[in-house]
């Protein structure tokens, strides 16, 4: 009996060892650069075939790869008024994207416009407001990334929408500002959510301008609300439309895109009037 018991123990140990060997080793989580030293972060300028936009949130996958988002229309090949992603021209997945502060170009690995056209999407709200692209960073640049929104801090998870009158926060980085960084942080109010949850029209001080496209928006609690998509002319002149990042990520995961998760900021969210004054003073 003792011999059998020892044999059983040895056999069990061998089986457990074999099972452990079959389980992939856990990938190390990315190590983020300090917020005040990072060269790549939300608000970084991106250039796709010469078109300048602003990066939004940072993302990561289970293998430890790091990504940054921009608007899908930043790689559009049509005119400024071609905003229906289900029929507008777009550069293909695999397009190189220059990222300010990066040592190597990133690669566009997902584009919602291309995904919708491939899927034959027909829902009008989705076609009009699903405006998100994902850029894979080169591994050489992983150590220079911080996921925090400049000035405001955060994000702290995903938002489920912003009601009328709710505060919103952003950081644009259009080259048209010619270095006037005090105009980059934005504070404003939501005008509610429409288009089946896909869109949040809003007003900010100052309004988003060309080049700010794709920049991140936070809700009143510092949660990731969406991506700056379009400047409205009517019925709300000089308002901006912000595409839901939650909806965009859900669509991406269901249409062959990378299985990434939003990375929370390392800096605490600092919203409210005090944060606005700090931002305007360049703090």
């Amino acid at each position: 009996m003792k011999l059998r018991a020892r044999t059983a123990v040895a056999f069990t140990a061998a089986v457990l060892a074999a099972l452990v060997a079959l389980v992939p080793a856990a990938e190390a989580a990315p190590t983020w650069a300090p917020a005040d030293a990072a060269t790549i972060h939300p608000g970084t300028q991106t250039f796709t075939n010469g078109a300048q936009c602003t990066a939004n949130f940072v993302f990561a996958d289970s293998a430890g790869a790091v990504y940054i988002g921009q608007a899908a229309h930043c790689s559009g090949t049509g005119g400024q008024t071609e905003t229906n992603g289900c029929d507008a021209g777009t550069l293909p997945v695999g397009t190189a994207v220059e990222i300010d502060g990066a040592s190597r170009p990133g690669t566009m690995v997902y584009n919602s416009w291309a995904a919708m056209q491939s899927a034959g999407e027909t829902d009008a709200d989705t076609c009009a407001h699903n405006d998100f692209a994902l850029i894979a960073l080169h591994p050489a640049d992983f150590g220079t990334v911080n996921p925090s929104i400049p000035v405001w801090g955060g994000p702290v998870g995903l938002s489920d929408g912003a009601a009328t009158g709710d505060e919103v926060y952003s950081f644009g980085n259009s080259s048209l500002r010619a270095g006037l960084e005090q105009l980059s942080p934005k504070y404003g109010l939501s005008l509610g959510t429409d288009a089946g949850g896909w869109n949040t029209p809003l007003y900010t001080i100052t309004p988003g301008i060309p080049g700010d496209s794709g920049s991140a928006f936070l809700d009143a609690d510092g949660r990731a609300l969406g991506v700056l998509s379009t400047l409205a002319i009517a019925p709300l002149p000089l308002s901006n439309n912000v595409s839901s990042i939650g909806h965009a990520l859900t669509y991406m995961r269901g249409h062959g895109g990378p299985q990434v998760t939003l990375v929370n900021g390392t800096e605490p969210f600092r919203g409210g009037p005090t944060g606005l004054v700090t931002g305007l003073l360049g703090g």
Side-chain angles (χ1 to χ4, degrees), residues 170-184:
S170 185
F171 187 91
N173 200 1
S174 173
S175 58
L176 296 178
R177 291 194 180 83
L180 296 176
E181 294 182 358
Q182 65 269 31
L183 298 180
S184 287

Side-chain angles (χ1 to χ4, degrees), residues 3 18 29 34 41 55 60 69 71 76-77 101 119 131 136-137 145 168-169 172 178 219 238 243 246 254:
L3 179 59
H41 50 76
T77 58
D131 191 6
L137 300 179
V145 179
V168 293
Y169 302 86
D219 69 12
L238 297 182
S243 297

Side-chain angles (χ1 to χ4, degrees), residues 92-255:
V93 168
T95 295
V97 178
E98 301 288 336
I99 303 163
D100 196 27
S103 66
R104 314 278 182 87
T107 302
M108 184 168 65
V109 294
Y110 172 80
N111 181 293
S112 63
W113 286 12
M116 291 190 295
Q117 291 171 25
S118 176
E121 183 62 62
T122 59
D123 179 74
D125 290 335
T126 306
C127 290
H129 300 289
N130 188 8
D131 191 6
F132 177 71
L134 192 67
I135 312 303
L137 300 179
H138 192 281
D141 291 311
F142 288 178
T144 66
V145 179
N146 185 279
S148 306
I149 310 296
V151 177
W152 307 118
V156 287
L158 284 170
S159 176
D160 55 6
T164 301
D166 283 356
E167 296 176 331
V168 293
Y169 302 86
S170 185
F171 187 91
N173 200 1
S174 173
S175 58
L176 296 178
R177 291 194 180 83
L180 296 176
E181 294 182 358
Q182 65 269 31
L183 298 180
S184 287
K186 301 176 183 304
Y187 169 84
L189 298 176
S190 166
L191 300 175
T193 299
D194 58 28
W198 269 107
N199 182 54
T200 301
L202 45 79
Y203 277 109
T204 58
I205 306 170
T206 56
I209 61 176
D212 287 338
S213 291
S215 52
F217 267 81
L218 303 176
D219 69 12
D221 297 314
R223 298 174 298 178
L225 176 65
V227 173
L228 179 61
S229 182
T230 58
L231 174 66
I233 304 300
L236 301 168
L238 297 182
S239 65
N240 289 126
N241 289 313
V242 170
S243 297
S244 166
I245 188 64
H247 279 46
L249 292 176
T250 298
Y251 194 94
M252 180 178 72
R253 291 166 184 149
H255 290 81

Side-chain angles (χ1 to χ4, degrees), residues 37-124:
T39 60
I40 304 172
H41 50 76
T44 294
Q45 290 185 351
T46 62
F47 300 85
T48 311
N49 198 30
Q52 188 261 305
C53 281
T54 299
N56 48 71
F57 303 102
V58 171
F59 304 86
D61 64 22
S62 60
V66 181
Y67 308 77
I68 199 160
Q70 69 174 18
H73 78 258
C74 295
S75 56
T77 58
Q80 295 291 331
T81 60
E82 293 187 34
T83 58
N84 184 321
C86 290
D87 56 28
T90 180
L91 294 171
V93 168
T95 295
V97 178
E98 301 288 336
I99 303 163
D100 196 27
S103 66
R104 314 278 182 87
T107 302
M108 184 168 65
V109 294
Y110 172 80
N111 181 293
S112 63
W113 286 12
M116 291 190 295
Q117 291 171 25
S118 176
E121 183 62 62
T122 59
D123 179 74

